[in-house]
Amino acid sequence: MTTQPDPQWGEAPSRDDLAWDALGNELTPAKSLERVEAAATRVVGQIALVGTVLGAAGLVATVTVLHDWAAKSFAVAAVVASSFAVVIALLCQVLTSATLNSANRLETKAWYRRRVVLRGVALRWAGLLVVAAVLCAIVSVLIAVSVDREAPPHVTVARTVSAPDETGNQHSVLDVVVSSADITPGTRASTTVLDQGGTVLVSAVEHVGADGAVSQELSASADGTDASFTVKVAVGTWSCTTTATAEQSTIACEPG
C-alpha cells in the first residue's frame, strides 16, 4: 500500500510577505483611527494657535498701524480666514460616539467613515484657510511698508476774546492755521470751523497743487467769552476733529 504525502497548502511566506502582513495589521480600522485621533489633535492645536495669533494681530494692525485701504483689506481677509480655520478645526473635536450602538456593525462603519473622512476634509480646509490667512497677512505687510505715507498736517488753533465793542459785548475769536507739505498733488484739503450748535462759521476747501503744499488760515467768531468751537481738518489721508476751548493748542491729526 502506497502512502500519500500530506497535502501542501501553498508556499511558505517570504520575508517580504511577512512585512506586508505586519503592515496590514497596522492598518486596521482601530489602529488607523488611533493615528487619526493623535494627528487631528496635534493639527487642531496648531491651527487654533496660528489662527488665533493671526486673527488677533490682524485686528490690532487694522485698527492701529494700517492706514492704506488695500493693506487693511488684506488684513481683514486674514482675520476672516483665520477665524473660519479656528472654527472648523474646533468643530472637528465635536464629533462624538455617545449615541453610537457599537453592537451594530453598520452604525460602527458609518461612524468610522464620518470620523475619519469628514474630519480629514474639514482639517484640510482649515489648513488651506490658515495658509490663505498667512498669505493675506504677508501681502498686507508688504503693501503697508511699500506705500509712501503722507506727512501729517500741522494744525494750530488760537482762541482769544475780543475787546468790548460800543455796546460792551465781547466775542470769542478762533484763529486756525493749517500747514502741510509733501501731500499728493490733487488731493482735497479742507478746514471747517463750527460753533457749539453745529453751524458752519467758516470753511476753506482747496486741491493740493503740484508742490504738495497746503496752507490755510481761517478766523471765526462767536458771541460770548466762553463760546466753544469745533475744528475739522481733512488733508489727504489725515483727518482730525477737536473742540477748541483753550487759548492756544496744536491739534494732532490721525490717519483718516
Side-chain angles (χ1 to χ4, degrees), residues 123-236:
L123 288 177
R124 188 177 302 114
W125 277 105
L128 291 175
L129 285 172
V130 169
V131 172
V134 172
L135 292 177
C136 288
I138 292 174
V139 173
S140 177
V141 172
L142 292 176
I143 293 175
V145 299
S146 61
V147 173
D148 293 332
R149 290 284 306 280
E150 296 176 340
H154 183 76
V155 183
T156 301
V157 296
R159 180 180 177 278
T160 58
V161 177
S162 67
D165 56 17
E166 60 275 5
T167 61
N169 294 324
Q170 291 181 289
H171 304 278
S172 297
V173 179
L174 185 74
D175 294 314
V176 182
V177 178
V178 180
S179 61
S180 187
D182 300 326
I183 302 298
T184 304
T187 301
R188 186 175 184 270
S190 65
T191 303
T192 305
V193 180
L194 304 92
D195 62 14
Q196 55 191 2
T199 302
V200 176
L201 299 177
V202 63
S203 65
V205 179
E206 67 175 277
H207 287 83
V208 182
D211 59 355
V214 175
S215 179
Q216 295 179 340
E217 297 184 12
L218 293 84
S219 182
S221 64
D223 294 335
T225 59
D226 58 350
S228 63
F229 302 87
T230 299
V231 181
K232 295 184 178 181
V233 178
V235 179

Side-chain angles (χ1 to χ4, degrees), residues 4-249:
Q4 298 293 331
D6 295 333
Q8 302 295 320
W9 301 97
E11 300 179 358
S14 64
R15 182 175 300 177
D16 289 341
D17 293 333
L18 294 175
W20 284 110
D21 290 342
L23 177 60
N25 293 332
E26 292 297 322
L27 296 178
T28 59
K31 291 188 176 181
S32 295
L33 182 60
E34 181 180 349
R35 285 191 295 271
V36 168
E37 292 287 343
T41 301
R42 183 177 63 255
V43 172
V44 167
Q46 293 173 347
I47 290 177
L49 176 62
V50 174
T52 302
V53 171
L54 278 175
L59 286 175
V60 172
T62 302
V63 175
T64 56
V65 299
L66 296 180
H67 310 299
D68 182 81
W69 70 268
K72 280 189 175 183
S73 299
F74 278 103
V76 170
V79 172
V80 173
S82 59
S83 299
F84 274 109
V86 172
V87 171
I88 293 174
L90 294 178
L91 287 177
C92 290
Q93 300 293 81
V94 175
L95 294 176
T96 178
S97 60
T99 59
L100 174 65
N101 180 11
S102 58
N104 188 319
R105 190 175 300 163
L106 294 178
E107 283 190 27
T108 302
K109 287 182 179 180
W111 177 86
Y112 177 83
R113 292 191 182 97
R114 289 196 305 270
R115 189 73 176 178
V116 175
V117 177
L118 293 182
R119 221 176 187 200
V121 172
L123 288 177
R124 188 177 302 114
W125 277 105
L128 291 175
L129 285 172
V130 169
V131 172
V134 172
L135 292 177
C136 288
I138 292 174
V139 173
S140 177
V141 172
L142 292 176
I143 293 175
V145 299
S146 61
V147 173
D148 293 332
R149 290 284 306 280
E150 296 176 340
H154 183 76
V155 183
T156 301
V157 296
R159 180 180 177 278
T160 58
V161 177
S162 67
D165 56 17
E166 60 275 5
T167 61
N169 294 324
Q170 291 181 289
H171 304 278
S172 297
V173 179
L174 185 74
D175 294 314
V176 182
V177 178
V178 180
S179 61
S180 187
D182 300 326
I183 302 298
T184 304
T187 301
R188 186 175 184 270
S190 65
T191 303
T192 305
V193 180
L194 304 92
D195 62 14
Q196 55 191 2
T199 302
V200 176
L201 299 177
V202 63
S203 65
V205 179
E206 67 175 277
H207 287 83
V208 182
D211 59 355
V214 175
S215 179
Q216 295 179 340
E217 297 184 12
L218 293 84
S219 182
S221 64
D223 294 335
T225 59
D226 58 350
S228 63
F229 302 87
T230 299
V231 181
K232 295 184 178 181
V233 178
V235 179
T237 58
W238 298 88
S239 64
C240 58
T241 301
T242 188
T243 300
T245 56
E247 292 183 356
Q248 185 170 358
S249 62

